[in-house]
Amino acid sequence: MGRILVVGSINQDLRAGVERLPGPGETVIGRSLDRSAGGKGANQAVAAAVAGAAVDMLGAVGDDDAGRGSVAAMAAHGVRVEHIAVVADEPTGTAIIQVDDGGENSIVVIPGANHAVSEADLGPVDGLTAGDILLLQLEIPLPVVAAAARRAAAAGARVVLNLAPFAPVDADVLAIADPLIVNEHEAAQLAAAGLDAPSVLTTLGARGATWADLYVPAEPVEVVDSTGAGDSFCGALAAALAAGADRQDAMRAATAAAGRTVGHLGAQPPAGG
């Protein structure tokens, strides 16, 4: 089984429960407020570890309680955290999330220490080998994402890139990704930007996912909170691929993981859950 190195974001999530999401200029009364560990990178690392993979996380947090809590949450799920830097002059990244009664959400991310991740931190990427996977997203500086992808490919590792939140990425980086994971909105943005990739996996929410000529449906589930479903998909997919699964079996595992995630509050499961 190959190793997985996740290079990406680590956040604290501040989540407000609301009856419905507010429109522009509108105020609604919230029903609840809670705080939990999050960030696309951290969420995907936890999902991969929960799926049984050997996972290392590379990222940055602030020297604050939020950062210490986020790192502890990852470690509690079995993620190795030795490559997480503590940044003295930036707070840990924060996501402000509104979740309505139907489980839909809207999210604002303040990067904080995530923007301190630099190419100088990418030494562990060079230690990857054939059979290993580098898992990336776009909540850290784009030049760092591109450099990590190129260095992992040069080392013989597989690169899985989640193009979220959407941003234009160099064509050679898109070509490296196997797969490039997008949701339907990101797929449309990719096409609108005139960009393409040879290996594109599109998640379809409750309808499942497609990867080239393959389609895997999702099982019906009760949605409590859709936050982190895409991240769980990415992490579980990477874990299955690292274990040698073919594309269809990897998609099935990923779709099932996403279904479990929408059944609980928060992007990451409780420790031991």
Side-chain angles (χ1 to χ4, degrees), residues 210-230:
T210 62
W211 188 352
D213 57 335
L214 292 175
Y215 168 68
V216 170
E219 294 294 327
V221 294
E222 180 180 355
V223 178
V224 174
D225 179 4
S226 59
T227 307

Side-chain angles (χ1 to χ4, degrees), residues 6-225:
V6 181
V7 176
S9 57
I10 303 167
N11 293 334
Q12 62 169 337
D13 289 350
L14 300 179
R15 185 173 53 254
V18 293
E19 180 180 358
R20 59 181 177 81
L21 300 178
E26 182 183 13
T27 298
V28 299
I29 302 299
R31 295 180 170 180
S32 61
L33 179 67
D34 60 84
R35 186 187 309 262
S36 60
K40 284 190 168 295
N43 295 342
Q44 293 180 16
V46 166
V50 168
V55 183
D56 288 272
M57 179 72 206
L58 191 158
V61 295
D63 186 10
D64 50 32
D65 288 343
R68 287 182 282 274
S70 294
V71 173
M74 280 184 279
H77 284 100
V79 178
R80 290 189 288 262
V81 296
E82 289 79 6
H83 304 308
I84 298 175
V86 177
V87 181
D89 56 354
E90 289 283 357
T92 297
T94 299
I96 300 172
I97 305 169
Q98 300 171 97
V99 182
D100 71 14
D101 285 351
E104 290 298 323
N105 64 64
S106 64
I107 304 173
V108 175
V109 175
I110 299 91
N114 292 307
H115 271 185
V117 181
S118 72
E119 294 183 37
D121 300 317
L122 296 180
V125 175
D126 301 324
L128 296 173
T129 61
D132 294 337
I133 290 178
L134 175 69
L135 180 55
L136 298 162
Q137 330 74 33
L138 304 185
E139 285 184 339
I140 60 173
L142 295 183
V144 179
V145 173
R150 291 171 181 136
R151 287 165 67 166
R158 184 174 195 159
V159 176
V160 176
L161 172 59
N162 178 208
L163 201 69
F166 177 83
V169 174
D170 291 343
D172 70 303
V173 175
L174 296 178
I176 287 170
D178 184 23
L180 177 75
I181 303 175
V182 293
N183 63 22
E184 292 177 278
H185 300 294
E186 293 149 2
Q189 291 172 296
L190 190 70
L195 300 172
D196 195 10
S199 178
V200 178
L201 191 163
T202 305
T203 59
L204 307 172
R207 291 178 288 123
T210 62
W211 188 352
D213 57 335
L214 292 175
Y215 168 68
V216 170
E219 294 294 327
V221 294
E222 180 180 355
V223 178
V224 174
D225 179 4

